[in-house]
Amino acid sequence: MVEPAGGREIDTDVLIVGAGPAGLFGVYYAGFRGLRVTVVDSLPELGGQVSAMYPEKTILDVAGFPAVKGRELVEQLVEQAASARPAYLLGRTATVLKTDDTGAVMELDDGTTITAEVVIVTAGIGKFTPRPLPAGEGWEDRGLVFFVPSFAEYAGRDVVIVGGGDSAFDWAHHLEPIAASVTLVHRRDQFRAHWATVDAVLASRVEVVTKAQVTRLLGEHHVEAVEITTNDGEVTTRPAQSVVASLGFVADLSAMKEWGLEFSGRHVAVDTSMRTNLPRVLAAGDITDYPGKVRLIAVGFGEVATAVNNAAVMIDPDAHVFPGHSSEDS
């Protein structure tokens, strides 16, 4: 259930910060342990980075799914999590966290206060915002976007994608069959994307322009074309009814650092039980770091199950860390 915004006071057993895949599986597992669970996320929809950045991308490394689109994976996780009857607080940012040996109190930017027995941070990379396209100022909602949540709306359009990472190449690869044309512009002739996707794009009808930048967007009320300038100063124009700026994002970890969490680089340090340095605060998923850490969705699922099971013992010392298998309740 998505809770309305506004200054409220909420009491819960487990507060999960981050509604990406790890957080959603944590919701289910908290319900399996009989715990009340509340979820906070700064994004307006469930699914975290998967929903925001690559909902149509095919994910190949989740156990039990030979191939699954990001959107479909999120839908399945949300359906699974529904059994826990969670309260979702979306589009709100956690600002203040106070903890002691008895529990935690978190304040949100809309004035809501949450009292929890345990907090589990599954915030991925923290609050993130896309890096701006220098030439794109004033063009948002006029053809310039930073994410491609759905491919269908780009059918028949001329699309220019700026960037050289996984998202840029994924979007180019998936839009190529349906768009009128796709041009990918990157400032270098080397790419950060997975080699298989790069090869697929280079072998397709996508025009890849390297050592160049989009220096101007053209149009009256909506973008109609872009101006591309090479490193040598050559200027060309391409038609474009849509421009996708895939220049990465800036992760904002400032709030979590103010909470007093111990960081290892840009990640929260945890032990093997997923405990952080703060009492009653655990973490799981991409936000965490420990020796040998592997950042995969599948790994995050296991980490958050570990976190929830250890949280259950914090809440009830008579409980067992391992509760048995979920199949035993069926």
Side-chain angles (χ1 to χ4, degrees):
M1 178 178 66
V2 178
E3 297 286 338
R8 303 177 57 211
E9 293 186 2
I10 296 174
D11 181 75
T12 191
D13 294 326
V14 176
L15 170 60
I16 295 178
V17 182
L24 291 172
F25 187 65
V27 172
Y28 158 74
Y29 214 90
F32 171 62
R33 292 299 310 248
L35 303 172
R36 297 171 301 151
V37 58
T38 300
V39 184
V40 173
D41 199 293
S42 60
L43 295 175
E45 60 183 340
L46 298 171
Q49 294 176 60
V50 174
S51 292
M53 299 181 65
Y54 46 89
E56 297 296 331
K57 179 181 178 180
T58 300
I59 300 171
L60 303 173
D61 53 11
V62 176
F65 291 94
V68 60
K69 288 186 177 181
R71 167 180 50 79
E72 294 169 347
L73 177 62
V74 169
E75 289 171 355
Q76 294 290 317
L77 286 165
V78 171
E79 181 179 345
Q80 183 182 38
S83 62
R85 299 182 179 276
Y88 291 117
L89 303 172
L90 304 179
R92 278 162 275 197
T93 300
T95 55
V96 177
L97 175 64
K98 300 176 182 178
T99 69
D100 58 30
D101 292 334
T102 63
V105 176
M106 177 169 284
E107 298 175 11
L108 308 184
D109 59 356
D110 71 340
T112 297
T113 299
I114 305 167
T115 301
E117 296 278 349
V118 173
V119 174
I120 301 177
V121 180
T122 59
I125 58 169
K127 182 179 180 181
F128 67 97
T129 53
R131 295 185 186 276
L133 176 67
E137 185 176 355
W139 287 95
E140 288 186 55
D141 300 321
R142 299 171 58 200
L144 173 66
V145 299
F146 298 95
F147 305 111
V148 182
S150 172
F151 296 137
E153 63 186 272
Y154 294 90
R157 293 187 188 181
D158 298 298
V159 181
V160 172
I161 300 171
V162 186
D166 282 315
S167 294
F169 274 86
D170 284 338
W171 290 332
H173 177 62
H174 286 98
L175 289 173
E176 185 265 342
I178 64 173
S181 69
V182 178
T183 303
L184 188 147
V185 181
H186 187 45
R187 58 189 176 86
R188 299 187 300 164
D189 57 2
Q190 296 178 330
F191 311 110
R192 303 182 308 279
H194 190 278
W195 64 268
T197 311
V198 172
D199 286 349
V201 168
L202 294 177
S204 72
R205 65 185 180 93
V206 173
E207 181 184 8
V208 178
V209 182
T210 60
K211 297 184 178 180
Q213 300 184 56
V214 170
T215 49
R216 190 180 177 194
L217 276 64
L218 307 170
E220 187 172 354
H221 303 294
H222 192 279
V223 64
E224 298 173 5
V226 300
E227 184 178 272
I228 300 171
T229 303
T230 68
N231 293 350
D232 295 330
E234 181 181 350
V235 179
T236 59
T237 302
R238 297 289 189 282
Q241 296 81 54
S242 297
V243 177
V244 182
S246 180
L247 300 172
F249 42 82
V250 179
D252 183 0
L253 301 171
S254 57
M256 284 189 280
K257 289 184 177 180
E258 290 177 3
W259 299 346
L261 285 168
E262 178 185 345
F263 275 74
S264 173
R266 297 188 60 80
H267 302 94
V268 175
V270 296
D271 62 16
T272 56
S273 62
M274 300 295 115
R275 286 182 173 87
T276 71
N277 63 303
L278 296 181
R280 296 279 178 145
V281 180
L282 302 96
D286 284 353
I287 192 65
T288 64
D289 191 52
Y290 51 82
K293 167 75 178 188
V294 177
R295 300 187 199 288
L296 291 174
I297 290 175
V299 173
F301 290 157
E303 291 173 350
V304 79
T306 298
V308 169
N309 282 324
N310 283 281
V313 178
M314 291 181 184
I315 295 169
D316 178 8
D318 293 328
H320 297 286
V321 172
F322 178 58
H325 299 98
S326 59
S327 57
E328 295 170 3
D329 287 349
S330 59

